[in-house]
Amino acid sequence: MRRLLSVALSFLLVFTATQPASADRGGQPLPGYTIANPPLAPATVGGRPTRVLQGVHSHAGYVIEVPPRWNGRLAMWAHGYRGTGKVLTVDTPSYGLRQQWLDEGYAWAASSYYSNAYDVRAGVTTTRELATLFGRLVQRPDKVFLAGVSMGGHVIARSLEQYPGFYAGALPMCGVVGDHELFDYFLSFHLAAQAVTGIRAHPFPADYQTAVVPRIRQALAGDDEQFRAVVAELSGGARPASDAAHVYWQDFLFGLVGASTSTNLAENPQLVASNLSTRYRPNSPVDVNGTVDRVRAANPVARATWALTEIPAVQGLPTAPVVSLHGIGDMFVPFKMEQHYRDDTARFGRTGLLVQRAIRTVDHCEFSPAEAGDAWRDLTTWVDRGKRPAGDDVRKTDDPRFGCRFSDRTATGGTRALFPAC
């Protein structure tokens, strides 16, 4: 029955996929936006310069780079959250991947997307349309891969479901592969703090950040043991350096949520957030589950739909091999995202297409070139030879050595010192 449902869902997604634009090439940004895409200097491969193409397509800025000896393959880079500004920019691939791809013979391309804010739909469609444009400007690639970070991970996970068969493999890093659950987590962080302290403030008042949050934080200053443990569970379970990660992230997380009257989903993702099914642990000394405010999604249609919206669902139906990297102490896009994605893929019998690797870092998207580069090589070898690479069991976070296996032991700086030596 599970297999039949999986096939049915795949069939549905194929025939409801948003197709790349053909009539309107979108040579200008959408009203209200401007594009900043300064000339990118070509890289050097084997003593020869690359070919760089830049322009506007599908209302988005883009960069394409092709090495002197192209292997016929294309890597698409999906950038993360940009904020709500109106200037569109294009990222070059991070962690040394740009040069690695070129040295290996891969071309790469990246889109600014046609909008900012939390607009995954923009990322999914413009990335796909840019890959099609590459075929017209250069040559149709033999295989197309995806790689990206943060919100770009959400773009990647949904792209694999939106366009089954188009992408050959994917490398999401620090990705929002748990879709709506990210915003549930932000909501629960605040509601759990209110329940533990007894300071209720939902719906969030206009002065929530200036008047209420300081009171909550003052109340927690004396004893936040239960709250820390609740947040650890919400973000992925007890794991190495979770206390240090809490200290590192708490200021930021307390500043994330507040009153908003916007009905624009991309600008106000709180509209899809809910904690109706969330179970908080530990549940003592304060009975959080019995006292916490339960919140329904303000936009239940957007939360329930399978359509490609600004914040779309990820069903757990990857259609190509995926190698996913995530910092275990990341509490902005928490490690819990990987557990959600693993559970989703298990529901449809797709875990064979998913390899996940835990990295011992706390900052968001904090990876070394070796960590990203090794994952990329393992992904492409998997695609080419069919040998699934090794990964971590993301459910076994309480092992003191969790995250050691794939972390770069030569990497220094950043937050790596917060972890005991492996």
Side-chain angles (χ1 to χ4, degrees):
M1 185 67 183
R2 182 177 64 184
R3 290 176 181 170
L4 287 174
L5 181 58
S6 175
V7 171
L9 287 173
S10 297
F11 183 86
L12 177 66
L13 287 169
V14 168
F15 286 94
T16 59
T18 300
Q19 296 301 313
S22 55
D24 177 15
R25 298 303 180 188
Q28 296 292 329
L30 293 174
Y33 280 99
T34 59
I35 295 174
N37 190 11
L40 177 68
T44 301
V45 179
R48 298 167 59 192
T50 60
R51 178 188 178 196
V52 176
L53 304 172
Q54 295 177 253
V56 179
H57 184 69
S58 300
H59 309 294
Y62 71 82
V63 174
I64 292 171
E65 189 168 23
V66 186
R69 299 185 65 180
W70 180 43
N71 65 8
R73 295 181 168 195
L74 173 64
M76 305 297 299
W77 180 256
H79 72 69
Y81 179 67
R82 283 280 195 268
T84 57
K86 296 299 182 181
V87 179
L88 305 175
T89 57
V90 185
D91 279 359
T92 56
S94 303
Y95 316 114
L97 286 173
R98 175 192 178 191
Q99 191 65 47
Q100 178 176 339
W101 288 343
L102 295 169
D103 288 343
E104 293 177 356
Y106 286 78
W108 67 269
S111 169
S112 70
Y113 313 156
Y114 60 70
S115 69
N116 287 327
Y118 200 92
D119 194 340
V120 172
R121 177 171 58 192
V124 170
T125 57
T126 55
T127 297
R128 172 67 170 85
E129 289 160 4
L130 179 55
T132 301
L133 178 66
F134 180 95
R136 295 202 297 270
L137 296 180
V138 181
Q139 182 179 314
R140 183 175 179 179
D142 299 328
K143 284 186 171 64
V144 183
F145 293 80
L146 287 164
V149 293
S150 196
M151 188 188 81
H154 198 161
V155 170
I156 289 170
R158 182 56 192 243
S159 292
L160 294 175
E161 299 180 355
Q162 195 74 20
Y163 306 114
F166 184 79
Y167 296 106
L171 175 62
M173 295 173 280
C174 50
V176 187
V177 290
D179 60 59
H180 306 130
E181 282 90 348
L182 175 66
F183 306 104
D184 296 349
Y185 162 73
F186 294 155
L187 175 66
S188 276
F189 180 91
H190 286 263
L191 295 182
Q194 292 179 23
V196 169
T197 61
I199 301 172
R200 302 309 183 97
H202 192 274
F204 301 115
D207 63 350
Y208 180 68
Q209 283 295 329
T210 58
V212 182
V213 167
R215 291 174 53 217
I216 293 174
R217 301 198 61 179
Q218 184 177 13
L220 289 170
D223 182 11
D224 70 345
E225 182 177 352
Q226 183 181 1
F227 179 62
R228 282 187 185 226
V230 167
V231 173
E233 286 296 322
L234 289 171
S235 60
R239 54 205 187 275
S242 57
D243 282 346
H246 183 93
V247 173
Y248 186 90
W249 281 108
Q250 64 176 336
D251 288 349
F252 182 84
L253 292 171
F254 269 117
L256 273 183
V257 170
S260 177
T261 58
S262 175
T263 58
N264 184 307
L265 199 60
E267 294 179 356
N268 184 15
Q270 290 181 65
L271 292 169
V272 299
S274 173
N275 72 333
L276 290 182
S277 62
T278 303
R279 292 297 173 261
Y280 299 89
R281 297 187 301 270
N283 200 40
S284 64
V286 176
D287 179 6
V288 178
N289 288 309
T291 60
V292 71
D293 285 329
R294 295 293 178 178
V295 177
R296 296 181 182 275
N299 188 336
V301 173
R303 184 180 176 94
T305 184
W306 287 2
L308 180 57
T309 66
E310 294 91 335
I311 309 177
V314 173
Q315 299 299 327
L317 289 163
T319 53
V322 178
V323 176
S324 183
L325 300 185
H326 219 113
I328 65 175
D330 188 349
M331 287 189 171
F332 176 25
V333 176
F335 190 75
K336 186 73 173 180
M337 293 288 101
E338 298 295 332
Q339 297 166 345
H340 285 306
Y341 194 40
R342 191 265 172 205
D343 290 345
D344 289 342
T345 58
R347 192 172 299 118
F348 295 110
R350 298 290 181 94
T351 54
L353 287 173
L354 176 63
V355 167
Q356 295 165 292
R357 293 179 175 178
I359 306 299
R360 287 167 80 98
T361 55
V362 169
D363 204 358
H364 183 47
C365 302
E366 184 184 359
F367 307 112
S368 75
E371 289 158 350
D374 288 348
W376 171 258
R377 279 187 288 270
D378 288 345
L379 171 66
T380 55
T381 299
W382 185 9
V383 170
D384 291 340
R385 302 179 186 176
K387 184 178 179 181
R388 185 174 182 267
D392 287 307
D393 186 337
V394 298
R395 299 164 296 179
K396 298 181 178 179
T397 62
D398 57 351
D399 183 339
R401 291 180 54 80
F402 185 68
C404 284
R405 187 176 184 185
F406 298 101
S407 294
D408 181 0
R409 300 189 187 189
T410 68
T412 58
T415 64
R416 294 178 189 261
L418 298 175
F419 294 84
C422 287

